Structure formats: structure tokens, C-alpha cells
Amino acid sequence: MTKWVYHFGAGAADGSAALRDLLGGKGANLAEMAALGLPVPPGFTITTEVCTHFYANGKTYPADLEAEVEAALTRLGEIAGHAFGETNWPLLVSVRSGARASMPGMMDTVLNLGLNDETVEALAKIARNERFAYDSYRRFIEMYSTVVLGLEHHEFEDALEAYKAARGQTLDTELTAEDWRKVAALFKEIVEKATSRPFPQDARQQLWGAIGAVFSSWMNARAIIYRQLHNIPENWGTAVTVQAMVFGNMDDQSATGVAFTRNPSTGARELYGEFLINAQGEDVVAGIRTPQSITEAARRAGGSERPSMEAALPQIFAEFRAIAQRLETHYRDMQDMEFTVERGRLWMLQTRAGKRTGPAALKIAVDLATEGLISREEAILRIDPLSLDQLLHPTIDPDAKPAILASGLPASPGAAAGEIVFDAAEAEKLAAAGRKVILVRVETSPEDIGGMHAAEGILTTRGGMTSHAAVVARGMGKPCVCGVGAIRVNYEEQSFSVAGRRFSKGDLITIDGSAGRVIAGAVTMRQPELTGEFAVLMGWADKARRMRVRANAETAADTRAARRFGAEGVGLARTEHMFFEGERIVAVREMILADDAAGRRAALAKLLPMQRADFQELFEIMSGLPVTIRLLDPPLHEFLPHSDTEIAEVARAMGADPAKLRQRARELSEFNPMLGFRGVRLAVAFPEIVEMQARAILEAAIAAAAVTGVAATVEIMVPLVFGRPELDFVRAQVAATAAAVTEETGLTPSYKVGTMIELPRACLRAGEIAQTAEFFSFGTNDLTQTALGVSRDDAGAFLGVYSQKGILPADPFVTIDQEGVGELVRLAATRARAERPGIKLGICGEHGGDPASIAFFESVGLDYISCSPFRVPIARLAAAQAALGKTATSTA
Amino acid sequence: MTKWVYHFGAGAADGSAALRDLLGGKGANLAEMAALGLPVPPGFTITTEVCTHFYANGKTYPADLEAEVEAALTRLGEIAGHAFGETNWPLLVSVRSGARASMPGMMDTVLNLGLNDETVEALAKIARNERFAYDSYRRFIEMYSTVVLGLEHHEFEDALEAYKAARGQTLDTELTAEDWRKVAALFKEIVEKATSRPFPQDARQQLWGAIGAVFSSWMNARAIIYRQLHNIPENWGTAVTVQAMVFGNMDDQSATGVAFTRNPSTGARELYGEFLINAQGEDVVAGIRTPQSITEAARRAGGSERPSMEAALPQIFAEFRAIAQRLETHYRDMQDMEFTVERGRLWMLQTRAGKRTGPAALKIAVDLATEGLISREEAILRIDPLSLDQLLHPTIDPDAKPAILASGLPASPGAAAGEIVFDAAEAEKLAAAGRKVILVRVETSPEDIGGMHAAEGILTTRGGMTSHAAVVARGMGKPCVCGVGAIRVNYEEQSFSVAGRRFSKGDLITIDGSAGRVIAGAVTMRQPELTGEFAVLMGWADKARRMRVRANAETAADTRAARRFGAEGVGLARTEHMFFEGERIVAVREMILADDAAGRRAALAKLLPMQRADFQELFEIMSGLPVTIRLLDPPLHEFLPHSDTEIAEVARAMGADPAKLRQRARELSEFNPMLGFRGVRLAVAFPEIVEMQARAILEAAIAAAAVTGVAATVEIMVPLVFGRPELDFVRAQVAATAAAVTEETGLTPSYKVGTMIELPRACLRAGEIAQTAEFFSFGTNDLTQTALGVSRDDAGAFLGVYSQKGILPADPFVTIDQEGVGELVRLAATRARAERPGIKLGICGEHGGDPASIAFFESVGLDYISCSPFRVPIARLAAAQAALGKTATSTA
């Protein structure tokens, strides 16, 4: 018989951390902590399998669940010494969600469950605090009613405001026990009016209502969006943990807090967290009261007057510090813990691997390995390669010395600039239109997720380092500044004021998430230093990986950046990018307008010296490393103007007949340019272009060698072939040019000729093509377009729908479609190697910078991956992880 | 040691008909005839291997060729009784080309070789005819000089005209022996002046010059074009046959002629041919003199006054008739023969399988099988399926009773109408621009091939049934009327006059190649009857084939035509074709402009009854046979207007806001529509379209069954899927609609859901897709576009270059690319069958009507092919040939 319910508490547990899939992160870790003998309020977890059953059977439960829950409640009562539903000594519980992966704030929670008109009186007696009891009761009624009964928060908030207004009160703290009792009564009336039945008084009815609500919240809109953003499968489901309540808000010897075993922002090895005396956990997380530091050191660093936990509750602090240390050692990773102190007694409510910034993840992994807690391989596997992106983002140039507008908490590092926007939905809209925005909010809520993802950075005026905005921004790697109290937001006027200035929607600001600063306008940024832990981990990764990492680059700036980021060559230099600048485009257009090969040759002769100079610079920058140069690829109409105005302008500038220009543009225009007259097809039709490009490449190689003293490693790549004859044709052309260059210079530049494999037919004919090609580079962008029949430029119209309806698991232009495109790549590799063992195989599509795709390329045994320069470190780490046999996943 | 030279003559031969590849058609058949003991002038053939050697070695010969030729000349001299080069009794020879496949008129020939200033005198003495000797000499000088020495015909013709003009002569027959001697001397002067050396007098020098010229003519421009048109590989090469001359122009007991063992136009079993008394063979073929009939019957039928060969040379006729019969029985096919009578003695110069019209080929094959000469399977294999196209072309409606402008010879059957054009190059140009033209010439020459191919039909004013125009037109299956003497062409004015009327370039005429008539204007045409031999052969083919043949059709007219042509169902009904008519397009546009699903549903509701009526008609016409209906496929922008004028017009017509219409058109426009928002992607995004179409189909099926009493065989086909989830989505949609229809009507229409396989990824995922799909239809058009990355609409810009440069053997949109697209089809079939044994597999791309592709589909074991209605008979025959294990080839 399937076991649906797992008990924990009193030094024992049915489950353990190993049962994360079944019990969720929270449930598994509570079981683990209980088994370790740590002080955990007793409880039980209903498994994720119940969730699966729930959705598979029209939101009903397994038949035997109720009996198991009853048994667990009985055991809970035995440990607590009083039973659930007992009226004179109430056992209150919390009901929480807990999925395999952390989804903070996405699903529903109900606290203080078990309170009713009778037990609230009992609670008041036991706590010797009537005000606390009725405050708890009215909170419970509001929470239960919104989560389980579907009422809106504002219905309760409005009633409370009206109640206070009628009495001339403004702060909650002014309300007495009697007030709260009246408010609770008011709240019950609201429920009865809305639902046509009284607020449920039966504890078991309350419990099952809450369990159902938590399971249902797995499919709420924000949870769905969160899963999509984080690639969490829907079928994982959530567990539900029911746990005895402890109260951090009973008195001044009560407290609640959250803490990390290391600094989640910097990775520094220091206990790091916040707490509030006489508060419930939600008060810390919600950011409504600004919390106090856990340690004295942090308090001093933050310049706070209010006492740290270390000073205020020294014994509890010592106990907590020891537990934190034990948990980190036990889990071999930085922990994120929640705790409550009830009347001087410490209770651990949760522990989990802590979310951290990219730099912190790096430092923690390197430190843990240096401390001997984990191996270097584990350190490599601990870092989500995509998180390195944060390290590679620009920071504010210290020399810029910008005037600081306001300061707040450095909630998530990195700097960002953009237009001010006050609404998450609008942030999404503007970002979709290509605008860069900074989302400015008093505080953020789970509903804002989409807008936070779309924004360059987030600024809030309230809340601390563990507020919603801070936690989510760190997870996303977005710069974030929190709690900037000096800024006053006026949502209605869509503006904020600070230091006597007014900023409106659309005005530019810069935020520095590392320093917690806000600056007016857009500020000069600086590239990050790639040293310290980054260099250490990269060094370990480079030793662990098998695949080489190259960059897609053709400009001197990009190529230099690529080499600085550790690229081991250029995997794709797009020669056409060199065709667009200044006078070059004029010569290119002359070539296109020429009536015959002689006319084209004359125009190409003008391009030759420019291309040669470009290539020479590339070879010099990448001296000692291979450089793959792709011959002209795009259709020629891309170089021509199209609108009548542009045509007239260009014709005048180049002294050409506008009619002829228009005519040629019309002749060259295509229905499906992606499948048109481009790539090797241009080379076959206009061999003189190959002739010029081959000459430029080979002469540049000779010139670069003369400068550097090292022979250039030249790889000439032919795009868009679908069979060997095309490649033979171009190869012969290149060979003839090489022979001419040798005759003229007396030097024999060495070079290889290879091809992009970017059409399905090329994959099928790979064996034959490999008879001629000395290397392959998979062009997985175009291969995805042709294999799936999806134009990347037009896919927006339906890929979204495909994702929503679950037809495509991931965007195939981001992560390679292993089942389709992947099979073609594998098949091509196999066939090519059968004909030419040891043929060099690489990939230069966008997938070259995607960790999941890189894991696949490792499995195919490609020799190298090539990606954009800023992705090179990501690719190096992902390649190492792939070599260690693990696909990249987040550490969170 | 390789044998380069093969002797024949005097009842013996080194070679035989089996050595066609080595000796060419002519040489092999001369050897065969010689070995059969038929009267063949002795000679020898230099093999095609010498041609291959010639081109592989800079136009030089194998070292031992000269010795072999000398030996063959010696043997020739022994049989003839006098040696080549002997001056007092000259042995003259012809030097002719002869490739594996017949290429009439494409390569060069030299006759009367061996004549010089001495031997011409000897010939005069032996022939007792000085005029004949000098006439032959001047012909030889002109022919040799143009073929071997590269002079132009007009240089000689001009001199001859000047000579005659100076003497007041107009006709060649007025010239005496002395005149011809002077003309020969003039011609020699022309040669000496042009080449700076005297006309060669040495017979061996003449011979090697001619051999070299014939080999060289293999690569002349018109031979290259002919090979491209007929898919003849360049590496086959030509043989050269050197043969003793016999003279049909020695006296009135001499004659020359050509004949077929059956009528090449109708296939009737009757000796059929033409001859000329006292003439050389070229006079018959060139069409300069109008020849006489071979048989009395033909003379009477033609209403000619001039005697037939049967009457004029009765003994020779009897001998020839016996030989013809023997040759047909020996070769088991209709023969095309050339013969010469020299002073009362019959010599056979050539025999080969005769070219014939499509109807004749059909009749001959059926007759030969009925006569027991060949089997039914051989009869099936004898017909080039593409030649059936001629039978399926329209003929002039007899009820039209058009006024006949002029009559000529019915040279190639079928009727055609078009604009008059007088120049072959212009015919090509206009045809390329989509215009239909009739090429009108006094006579045609090999240079006109391209224009003849481009024209709808050909009309000549001179020449007979075996003239160049007639032979080539029959080979091409083009209607042709020859020898319309009443028409006088004026090339300079680009017009012709007939019966007092004047017709200019661009005027419309109709020709009837079956009746030999010319009609002013464009005349009503009629569909052919598909009875007689056609029905017989199709019956045999239907028994022999394994694959079913369906048609791609959606209109009632096309579907009826398809069923008449023997289609066994509809393989592809394109529902979008039904969306364009009248009010439908308005509803379609309303749907596109709708803001939400409700708006789309309202518009679709208007389309439902129309679609249902269409489908019902389809089901009724195809009653008892399967009908595959494809759901909406094209991108929606295809239904919207695009230019501002059109938009304004449409907006006004449908009462819509032009701005909104423009906006929507812009939103929907795509960079690569072929890879865009179409096919199943529309179904996933707008399920209400599927709902409407499924309902229309299922309700139509129920209605049709009520009318016909037979349940419709409904196959619903989903286009452009690349994986199973899309198909699952649509299938569920269809199932839900079917359930609704059942609930409403109480009837359960049976249907199958399948998919087009037209993307490379779909081929790879075929196994998974087959778990849901009940049938596949390969959409090889789009599969070719995606597998090769070639847009069919844009391919014109480079496929021509690819063909010229030998990179692609055939247009992949005409004949399936077996190596690429073919492998995908094969792989998909294998994977699909592994998951769902017996899954029905078909193909509905253009390749379904291409015999070479059909042979491939047979090899994959597809269940059916589907093609356009007019291609159905071609597909039936090609499928039979494929089943018999032979790919389609021409009988010629």
C-alpha cells in the first residue's frame, strides 16, 4: 500500500532529505532535521504523489488518505501532549506547500489553523495574552478566507481601516485586545456574507480546506509562470506539510528570523540574517517591518542602532549558530534557515540550500572546496553556468563618480540603467518592444514576477535583504536595490520624488545592486574583472572539460573580449559583418549592380584590401589559435536599400541609376530568404566572390605571420552546403587562389577548408561531404529552422502558444531540440567520422552558449563549441560539467 | 589490348546489336544487319571508348587506333574490290556519328569522302555521269569545309547564287556538268582563301579530319542542349561509323528513302515511308524536295499523283518489305530504316527502334503484345509514362467546326493554340514569360530545338513527315503541322500571308497536328477519349501495379476528371482552395480580423455550410473510395490584401476599417512564410478552425452517405506537424467535434486522423507520430524545401546555375532527391511501421506524378501515390513499371 503521510518530530522521522521528490524540499529537510535531533516542531508531510493523484482524479484524494492523516494527527497530539481540535488547550498547526524545487511565495500557506471562537479564548489564557490571541485569530480568519474561501484581501483590509478610522486610530499597535476581538467578529461577518455560511469552526474542516487549497495553488497563475521561467515540470507536484505552530509573537522572549550560513550576496563565510522580536515569520519576509541583524558584526556594518540577536538573545544565538554550522556541514552547502523563538525556546522551521548571487555561488563553491567540505568537481557542478552571466555584466565605472541620488540595500549585485516604469505589466510590454526599463515599486509581490524578469533591474522603497524583491532578483541575477526609504513613489502620477527632485515614467536612472545606490541618468559602466574565485573555478573547469571553447566574433573588439574570456579560437567569423561599414557597402553594392563577372571583379577589387586588413587583425589577436572564417552567407538583397526613399538616396550617393537599383533590388527580393539565394549558392553563381575572399584570407594569414612570428591557423568555412559537389566546387576555387598567391609571394599559406552543416540534407550526406571537408561546424540555428520548418524571425506568432499548450518543452532556438535537430547532429557526426576519422567537429549556433545544449554536444563528442564572447565562460563551465557527466542545473 | 575498331559487311560483323553502348545505335545495328545477311554497305565503327579517350586526353587518339583503322580500311577494300584512296576506281565513304541513344541531326556527318580532283574524274567515268560526279564533288567540298574546316554554309551558297545569277540561271537543275565543275573549282578557291591552304586532296587526311570533326561534334552546343533535354549523360560519348558510299542519285534506277515498319503517328500496322528517285538521303530528311510515298495505299490516301515506290520499283519494294518485316520480328519492335537503291540494288543503311507519338507507342505496344511478339509486361515497359501526356492533351472540339485556314501534313498529333512567333529564341523568351506560342518556320533546323521545346506547337511551310520539324516534334510530344505550302512566311515583316489574309507576330492561331490543319484564332478544345489501346494497356498496368493511385483534387470538376482518369481516391483535398471564392473570402477575412475566439467562431459559422457542401460533393463523386482532406494549411496573410489600393477596396467591400485591415496584414506578414505560422500551427493557435472544418467534414460524410448509400471513407489530414503533441492536440479537437456531431445526429461517422509528413523532424519522429497518426502522406514538396533549404519560389535564381555546373543531377522539385529527401522518406516509413505495422503510407507532393520518383516510392513500399488528375494515368503506368522492377525510360 502506498504511504501517503510521513511523520517527523521529537528526534525521529519517517522520511529524510533523500525523499525530496516525495516530500518536497521543506518536508524532506524537516524530516532530516528532526532525525538529526534538532528542535523541530512536530508535524507530518502529505506526499507529492497525493498531488499527482489529486489532479489525475478530478481534485479528489486517495481513499486511505484521511485515515493516514488522522493517525498522523494522533501522533502529533501525543508528542505535543494535547490533541488537534481540543478546545481547552488548542494544538494549532501551519499548512504549507513544498515542492521538489523551491518556489518562494508562489503557493499558498495557512498559519494558526485550529483557531475558532473557543480555542482563541484558550490560547489567550495559555499565552496569558488576549491581544496576541485575537490578533492571531483575525489574521487566521483573513488568511484562511483568502486562501481557502477565495475572498479578497482588500475586503478585510478595508473593514480594518474603517474600524480604525471610526475610532481615530491609525496604527495597528494602537488596537487593544478588545479591538482585535471586534475586528475578528467583523471579519467573520464578512465571510458569512460572502459565502452564505459561517466561518468554519471545526478544526478538521479547516484542515482539509487548507490542504485542498495548497494542492490547488500548484496550478495558480503565478506558480505556472514561475515554473515556466525556471523549467520546473508541472508533473512534479507539491507536498503539503502540516506542522505544530510555534509563536514568535507571544512576547519579548519570542522572535522569528531567517538566516544564511554564509552571505548570500558576497559568499563571505559569516552567519547572515535578520530577525524581529515578537513577530511572526511573515513579518520578516513580507518586508513590512525593517528587521534587525542576527550578528553584531552585521549590525555594526549596517550602522543600525537596534540590537542584534547576538546581543539581544545571546544564548539562543549561540544555540542557533551551532545548529547553523551543523546544518552546513551536514548538507555540505550554504543553508537558508527559518527559525522561531517561542518564549525563549528556539525552533527550527526550515532549512534548505540557500539561493545566492552568481558571485556568492562562486565564492561559496570555491571556499567549500578549499575547506575540504566538497571536491573540486563538486564545486564545478555547484555553479549554474548561466549564473556567471551576472559576473560578466558591467558594473558602474568608479571613475565615473556619479552623484548618488539615494541609497538602499544592495539586494542583488550588478548595475543596470533604464527607463523608470512603475508597473510590472508595463515593464513586460516595454521590454518586449526592446526598451530597457528599471521597475520601481514600493514593494514587489509574486504577481510582479513577469515584470521583474523583463526589467533590467529592480528598485523598491521598502523591505530588506530577504524581501520578496531581493530574493527573486538574486534568483534571476537581476540587479536590485531594496528599501530606498528616501524615495517616495506616487503611483497615480507615475512618478517618484527624492531629495527635492521629481522623476517620471520614462526618465533614465541607473541602479547599482552591489552598492545599493540609485543614480540619475545612465552612467558609464565598466567590464568586470575576471579574477579571484572566478579565475580559480575556471581553472578547475578548464582542467575538467574535454571540449574546446571558441567564440563567434569578427570585430577586433569582440575578438579581444573573447580571448580575455578564455576563448580558444574563433569558431565563426561572419565576413558579411565586415561588408556594411562606410565605403565598403558602396563597393558591395557596385558588385551587386554589376552586369557581369568583370564588373563584379572590379568592385570586389576595392573590397579586397579592407577584408585583408580585417582578417590580418583577427589572426594577430588570435595568434596561435584557430580562426574559422565563413565565406559570404546572406542573400545579396540584404545589402541593398528597399524603400523608394532609401533607393533614391543610395543611388545618388553612389552615382547609380535609381531605376537600375530598384530593378536589381526587386530581382533579388525573395519570398523565403532563409531558403534562398545565399551561402554556397552565391559562391557557385559568383565564384569571383570566393576568389576575393580566399585571397584576402590567405594574404592576411601571410601578413599576420610576418608580424607575430607564428603561422596563422586558417579555417575557411563554406556555408549552407547540402552536398559534396558544392563544396568541391568552392574548394577548387580556393585551391586555385592559393596557388596564385603562392606563385605571387613564394609563400605557401596553410589552410583548411570545411563547411557549416546547417541543412538536414547536409546531415544525411555528411559522409560524402566529409570526403572533402576537413572540418564541420554545425550551424544549429539554421538547422533548427529547416528541421522544424520554423522561421526564427516569424516564430513569435506561435512558439508562445506551443509553450503554453505544452507542445514544446523549451524554445528550440535556446536549447537544442535533441529529439529532432540533435538526432541529425549525431547522425552527421557518425557518418562524417566513418569517412574521415578524426574530422574536427564543432558547433557555432546560439546553442553553443546554452548549458543544456552543451551537455548534449559533449554526449555527441564534438571537438569544440563556439558562442558569443560573453558566453565563453558559461560555455567553459558547462563543458566541464558536461565532461563530469552532469547536465547543468541550478544549485537552488 | 582494347579493340577500338569493329568491322561489318558481307554477311559478317565483329559486333552486334548488343554492343550498342560501344558502337552506338547506328554502328550496332549495322553490325547486326550485316550479321543477319542483309545488304549493308561494308564499313567499320570506331568505338565510343575512343570518344572517351579523345576527351580525356586533350583530343588525341589511342596510340594503336591508326593501325586498327588501316586494317579495317584494308578489309573494306577487299570486300569492295577496290581500295580507299585508289584513284582510278575510287572507294568513297561516309563518316557518321552514332551515340548509344539516338540524337537525330545533333552531330556531324560527312558524305562522299574520298573525292578529289582525280577521283571525281574516275567517278564520272564509272557512273557514266559527269554531272553527277561534279555535283557530288561540290557537295563534298561544301560539307567537308563546313563540318571539318569550320567554314560557313553561306560562303558557298552565296558563291553558287552569284555563279547562277551571272548566267541567268535560277534552278540547280539548269546547271550542267561543266557548271558544277566550275562551281567545285570556285568552292576550292573559297577554302584556300579562308584556310590559306588548298582543299585537302589526300583521302586519308580527309578521313582523319572527318573522324575528328565527328568526335568533336559530341560537344557542340546543340548536342549539349539535346542531351540536357533528354537526360543523356555526357560521358556516354559517340561512336564513328565509316562506311562505303552507295549512291541514290546516280540515275533513275537509283533512289533513297526512309521508312517505318508501322505508322509512327498512329501506330497502324502498315509499311510507312517516303523516298525520292535519284536523290541522296539528305534530300529526304532535309525536306527540300517533297518525297513520294513508299506504298500505293499511302499514295492514294495522300492523293498524290507521283508514283509510289511500290509502283515505280516493284521488285525493290518487295525486297524491302520482306527486310522490314524481318527486322521488326528480329528486334521485336517497330523499326525506323534508311535505305538507298543504287542502280537497281537495294542497300540498307540504318535500322533502329522508330520514334513514335504517344498514341502510336501505345497502339504498337498493345498490338505487338496481341500479336504475341512481346509479353504484356514488355508492352507495359515499352511505354514512357510521360508520353501518355500527349493522349491527355486536348484536341479540337469537332462541334466547333472551325474554318480551316490551310492544310498541311499531320506531323505530330494533338492540338495547340498560341501567339504566332517566327523565331526560336523569341519563342523561348515568350514562353519563359508564361505566354503560349506557336512557332512558325519555313523549316526548322537543329538550332531551333530550344524554341520548339518552348512552343505549344510547331508549324512549317516546307518538309514532310520525316522532316526535322516532324521528327523532333513527335519526340517531344508537341503538336506539329508540316509542309503547309499555302502559307508564305515573310521573316522580315514578321508575318505570313495565306488565302489573301495576313497574320502578324502575336496573332492567335490554332494548329491541329492530328489532322494537319491550321485555324485562325483560338479554337474550343475537347478532352480525349480514354478508350481503345489506352484502356487495354491501362488495364494491364493496373493488374501489374501494387501501389494505389489517387489524385490531388478539391473542385468537383477536377475530382470528376480524376475519377475518369482512374484515380482510386483523393490523396489531397486542399481545403484552403475552397476559401477563396466569392463570399467565402469575406467570411475568411472576418475570421482573420476577429479579436477573439468568439469573433472567429462567428465568422467560421458562415463558412461551415459552404465547406460542408463542398465536402459532400467530393464524397459523392468519390463514393466508395477514400478521400483525404487536409485541414487549413497556408498562413493567414495569404487571404488578406496587401497593397494600399487592395486594402482600401476590400475594407470598403466588407465594411471594415482599412486601418485595422492594414494593421492585421502587417502583423501577419512574415519573413519566411514557408517556415511560418501555418499548417498545424494555425490549428493549435485557433482550435475553432479545426472545430469548424472537422464538423463540415463529418456532417458532409453523413449527408453523402445518405445520398449514395455508401459510407464515405474519410481521412482527416493535419499538415506541417513536427512531433506527436501537435497531432494529439488536433486529434482531440476532432474527436470532441465528432462526439458532438454524434450527440446531435445520433450517427457516428467513421473517420481516420493522419498527418502530412513534410518536415525533416517529422521524419525523424515518425515512430512517435505514428502512435497517434492512422496514416501518413509524405508532402515531398515542402520536405524538399526544408531538407535542402531551398525555397521553391526563389530557387530559379540558382538551380539553373547548379544544373549547368553539374552540382544537381535533376530538379529536386520534379524528381525526388533520393539521397536526401528520399532517405528521410525511407527512414520515416521504417520508423512508422515499427510502431504501427500496416500504417497506410502515401505521398501527395508533385513527385507523385513523376515516373522516376514513383519507382523510388515503390522501392520504399508506399501504399499509394497521389498526383494531379491529368497525371493519374502516367502514375498508374509508372507504378506498374515500378512494380515490374524497372524504372521508366523512353523506348526510343
Side-chain angles (χ1 to χ4, degrees), chain A residues 12 35 110 147 173 217 271 291-293 384 429 446 530 546 641 718 797 815 844 879:
Chain A
V110 180
V147 167
T173 45
S217 69
L271 193 58
Q292 296 152 252
S293 295
D384 178 355
K429 217 175 68 191
L530 303 174
R546 184 192 59 79
V718 184
T815 296
C844 62

Side-chain angles (χ1 to χ4, degrees), chain B residues 251-508:
Chain B
D251 57 20
D252 287 348
Q253 285 300 302
S254 299
T256 191
V258 299
F260 296 87
T261 56
R262 302 191 183 219
N263 186 317
S265 185
T266 65
R269 191 180 183 184
E270 60 194 15
L271 192 57
Y272 179 93
E274 296 166 327
F275 83 114
L276 281 169
I277 298 277
N278 199 357
Q280 272 201 327
E282 56 179 345
D283 300 333
V284 182
V285 178
I288 290 163
R289 281 164 62 188
T290 301
Q292 296 150 253
S293 295
I294 297 271
T295 62
E296 265 303 284
R299 185 195 62 77
R300 279 194 301 271
S304 171
E305 298 290 308
R306 296 189 301 156
S308 67
M309 181 164 127
E310 187 172 359
L313 305 165
Q315 277 187 313
I316 298 289
F317 174 76
E319 186 187 356
F320 178 68
R321 181 156 62 183
I323 287 173
Q325 182 59 53
R326 182 154 174 216
L327 283 171
E328 183 177 280
T329 306
H330 180 73
Y331 282 106
R332 303 164 65 247
D333 196 6
M334 184 265 261
Q335 294 297 296
D336 168 2
M337 302 156 295
E338 292 179 17
F339 63 91
T340 283
V341 182
E342 188 186 67
R343 292 186 167 169
R345 184 163 175 201
L346 175 68
W347 292 98
M348 296 301 295
L349 298 186
Q350 174 157 310
T351 193
R352 58 185 171 186
K355 282 195 191 293
R356 63 206 80 177
T357 63
L362 200 59
K363 178 166 172 52
I364 291 169
V366 170
D367 285 353
L368 289 176
T370 309
E371 291 160 21
L373 224 57
I374 60 174
S375 70
R376 287 179 175 184
E377 285 70 24
E378 279 178 292
I380 290 168
L381 293 170
R382 284 280 172 95
I383 309 296
D384 177 356
L386 291 175
S387 74
L388 297 182
D389 211 20
Q390 289 178 60
L391 302 178
L392 309 171
H393 275 314
T395 50
I396 286 173
D397 186 347
D399 299 339
K401 297 201 191 344
I404 307 301
L405 206 58
S407 284
L409 298 171
S412 181
E419 297 174 44
I420 295 166
V421 58
F422 294 99
D423 180 73
E426 189 161 3
E428 285 191 81
K429 215 175 70 190
L430 291 176
R435 311 257 286 273
K436 291 180 186 306
V437 300
I438 303 290
L439 179 63
V440 179
R441 299 284 301 166
V442 174
E443 53 191 329
T444 64
S445 65
E447 283 77 17
D448 296 331
I449 285 276
M452 295 172 76
H453 204 262
E456 298 295 307
I458 298 123
L459 167 62
T460 67
T461 57
R462 277 217 291 210
M465 290 296 285
T466 51
S467 68
H468 178 264
V471 169
V472 172
R474 281 198 296 272
M476 288 178 176
K478 296 269 175 203
C480 178
V481 178
C482 276
V484 189
I487 289 182
R488 302 203 169 204
V489 171
N490 185 326
Y491 284 135
E492 279 194 7
E493 293 181 2
Q494 294 278 293
S495 69
F496 68 71
S497 58
V498 57
R501 295 174 64 180
R502 190 164 170 283
F503 292 80
S504 295
K505 191 179 82 168
D507 289 345
L508 281 176

